[in-house]
Amino acid sequence: MSQDVAEDFIAQNPTYNRALLLGVAIGQRVVSATRPKLLNAKFSEEIGHYAKQQLGHLPQEQLCIALLDAQLNVIGWETVFVGSLTHVQASPREIFQRVLKANALGFMMMHNHPSGNLTPSDVDVKFSQQLQQLGDQLGVPMFDSFIVTQESYWSMSENSQLSAQRVQVTSAKLTK
C-alpha cells in the first residue's frame, strides 16, 4: 500500500483505520518471524553437552525441558522445577502445560545430580518412563531424559531405559 493510499484510508476514520493498519503491520511481522533455534536435538550428544553446561555446575537439583519443533530444533529451554541438594519434586502436569503452551511437537527432559553420580535412581527411571507414556498418549512425545553432572551426561534413550517403540496417536472421527 502506498503512502498516499494509506493516508487517504486513515483520513476516512483516523482512530480506527490507523489502529487497523498498525495491526496489519504487526501481523505481517509476526508471520514473517521465525522461532529462535537454540540447537538441534537429533543427536543426544549435542543436547547432553548443552544440558551439562546449563545444569551440571548447579548446587541443587533442577529439572528442565527442551521444547522441540518438527525438525527437532530446540525452540525453548525452561527450568520447570528447582529442588534441594539431593532431589527435585516434579509433576507431569506442569511439564505438559509448558510443552502444550509452547505448541511444541515434543520435548526432552533433563535434571542434574550435584553429587556427581550419573547413575539414574529407580525414581528417575520410573518418572521418565511415566512422562514418555503420557507424552505418547497426548501426542507430544518425550524423546529422551538426561541426567547431567559437571563432568558428563547420561541419556536414558542411549542406555535403553526408555521405550524404543513409540505409540502413534492419531485423530479419530467420533460419531453418534
Side-chain angles (χ1 to χ4, degrees):
M1 175 182 296
S2 72
Q3 184 68 25
D4 290 338
V5 172
E7 287 174 6
D8 289 343
F9 180 70
I10 291 171
Q12 294 172 11
N13 187 344
T15 304
Y16 178 77
N17 289 351
R18 182 176 284 119
L20 184 62
L21 288 179
L22 183 60
V24 169
I26 291 170
Q28 289 172 335
R29 287 184 184 168
V30 168
V31 167
S32 65
T34 59
R35 288 188 192 190
K37 296 173 182 90
L38 300 173
L39 64 149
N40 190 278
K42 289 180 184 167
F43 304 102
S44 60
E45 183 177 0
E46 191 173 340
I47 293 290
H49 288 297
Y50 184 81
K52 182 179 79 166
Q53 291 173 345
Q54 299 298 311
L55 300 171
H57 64 283
L58 298 174
Q60 67 218 39
E61 285 199 22
Q62 293 193 14
L63 185 143
C64 296
I65 55 173
L67 303 163
L68 307 175
D69 69 10
Q71 288 75 41
L72 299 182
N73 292 309
V74 177
I75 55 172
W77 180 277
E78 296 192 28
T79 300
V80 185
F81 298 100
V82 176
S84 68
L85 178 65
T86 58
H87 74 281
V88 62
Q89 187 71 30
S91 164
R93 177 183 173 88
E94 284 79 15
I95 292 169
F96 285 105
Q97 280 178 337
R98 293 178 188 223
V99 174
L100 294 169
K101 184 176 180 182
N103 198 28
L105 171 85
F107 69 104
M108 292 183 174
M109 180 185 73
M110 52 284 305
H111 75 282
N112 63 321
H113 280 180
S115 67
N117 181 0
L118 271 178
T119 306
S121 68
D122 289 340
V123 172
D124 291 339
V125 174
K126 287 178 184 174
F127 184 70
S128 295
Q129 290 171 343
Q130 177 189 20
L131 284 178
Q132 186 181 42
Q133 290 172 346
L134 290 169
D136 287 344
Q137 291 171 355
L138 289 171
V140 287
M142 183 184 78
F143 292 100
D144 205 344
S145 180
F146 292 87
I147 295 172
V148 298
T149 65
Q150 281 188 314
E151 303 300 320
S152 194
Y153 74 91
W154 179 275
S155 161
M156 290 192 193
S157 289
E158 283 180 8
N159 290 284
S160 303
Q161 292 172 306
L162 295 176
S163 171
Q165 182 181 359
R166 313 272 344 152
V167 174
Q168 294 297 319
V169 178
T170 58
S171 59
K173 183 177 180 182
L174 301 176
T175 59
K176 293 182 186 179

